[in-house]
Structures are given as C-alpha cells and as structure tokens.
Amino acid sequence: MTKDNILIRRVERQDVPLLLEFIKGIARFAKMENEVIASREVLEREMFDEHRAEAVFAVVDGREVGFALYFYNFSTFIGHSGLYLEDLFVWPEYRGKGYGKTLLLHLVKTAREHQCGRMEWMSLDWNKLSNDFYLSLGAEPLNECTIYRLDATALERLSK
C-alpha cells in the first residue's frame, strides 16, 4: 500500500530484530521497558511458525518509521472474527505526519478484507494525544469493561 511517500509492508522473518527494536521503543514510551521479555526466537516462532500474530511497518524514504502488530480474535455475540491491534507505534521524530493514521487505516482495510465484524485495541489512559486521535476517527472507548490479566506466573500456578 502506498500513500504519498508512505509504504506499508508486512514484517518478514528477517525483520524480527528490527521489530524487536520497535517493541522496545513502544515499551520505553509506555514506561514499561522492564516488562519486555520477547526475544527474536520467540517472535519468530509465534509469528512465523505458529502464525499467531502479524505485523506491518510504515516505511518512508526507505526507513521503517512505525509499526503495527495485530492478530485475529472472535466475537461470540456478532459471530465474526475481529482484528485486535496489539501495538501501534511511530518513532517520536516521525509523529504528526500521518504515518500512524496510515498504519491504522491499513489495518481497517485489512479487517474489512477479512470480513471482520470489528476492530479493537487498548490505549493507556494517560496517552491523551493518542486517545484524542482515536476519538477523532470515531472510535468509542468501552468504559464498561475492565481488562483482567493472568501473567505467566499465574498461569503456571493455576495449571498445577
């Protein structure tokens, strides 16, 4: 997909080291860098051997400036799969130029091509700039839900 000077391209196996740099970049931005335990081997297995997630880069003048990582889920209520955007990130020096919007709209198109019934993502409450952007597109926050998480330690404990 090309829009002006932006190319959206799929992340390939050989791009995993670069993808990991983007993941660390979004973790720094979210003040969660100490939580990144993903490795090249894990990402390669999960994304390219098991096909559990996909990612795309926004490329400008031959440089990857942003990425989006997503996967498909399923809604029992609507009876269709959905596209879940796990992460969308643009390097700070490239923000405000429409690259994040281009990534998001690419995923909207991908969701439509796969007949998804909806597209969802999570955003940190303090990230006002992003939240205002999502609202400007017509996205609606789901305030009636609380996200719960079982981490790897809890999964291990509960599976015994």
Side-chain angles (χ1 to χ4, degrees):
M1 171 185 176
T2 304
K3 182 183 182 228
D4 300 323
N5 63 338
I6 307 169
L7 169 73
I8 302 297
R9 74 167 181 87
R10 285 184 70 127
V11 171
E12 302 292 336
R13 186 180 293 266
Q14 65 269 18
D15 295 318
V16 169
L18 179 58
L19 178 63
L20 197 50
E21 289 305 310
F22 273 96
I23 291 168
K24 290 175 183 176
I26 194 171
R28 275 190 302 275
F29 173 78
K31 301 170 183 71
M32 301 169 75
E33 192 171 13
N34 62 332
E35 294 186 31
V36 177
I37 59 173
S39 68
R40 179 180 183 158
E41 296 77 22
V42 168
L43 291 173
E44 285 184 10
R45 184 184 68 241
E46 293 291 318
M47 295 180 69
F48 298 101
D49 299 335
E50 300 294 331
H51 306 285
R52 294 185 180 176
E54 299 178 42
V56 292
F57 285 129
V59 183
V60 177
D61 298 327
R63 184 173 196 281
E64 289 79 2
V65 301
F67 89 108
L69 190 140
Y70 61 98
F71 57 89
Y72 296 95
N73 56 18
F74 190 83
S75 169
T76 55
F77 284 16
I78 63 174
H80 285 279
S81 61
L83 188 147
Y84 188 86
L85 171 59
E86 179 65 22
D87 284 316
L88 188 149
F89 179 74
V90 174
W91 291 119
E93 63 269 27
Y94 292 98
R95 293 184 188 149
K97 301 177 186 324
Y99 304 146
K101 183 175 183 179
T102 300
L103 278 165
L104 190 70
L105 293 178
H106 174 79
L107 295 184
V108 167
K109 181 180 175 188
T110 300
R112 296 277 298 160
E113 288 171 353
H114 287 89
Q115 291 92 39
C116 292
R118 62 185 175 202
M119 181 172 154
E120 296 176 319
W121 60 92
M122 180 177 61
S123 182
L124 296 167
D125 290 340
W126 58 260
N127 193 348
K128 182 173 175 13
L129 189 62
S130 291
N131 293 333
D132 289 346
F133 165 66
Y134 299 140
L135 291 170
S136 78
L137 295 175
E140 297 180 19
L142 300 177
N143 296 321
E144 66 274 6
C145 298
T146 300
I147 296 172
Y148 292 90
R149 176 180 295 159
L150 293 172
D151 64 13
T153 303
L155 291 173
E156 182 178 343
R157 179 179 47 80
L158 290 170
S159 65
K160 291 180 181 182

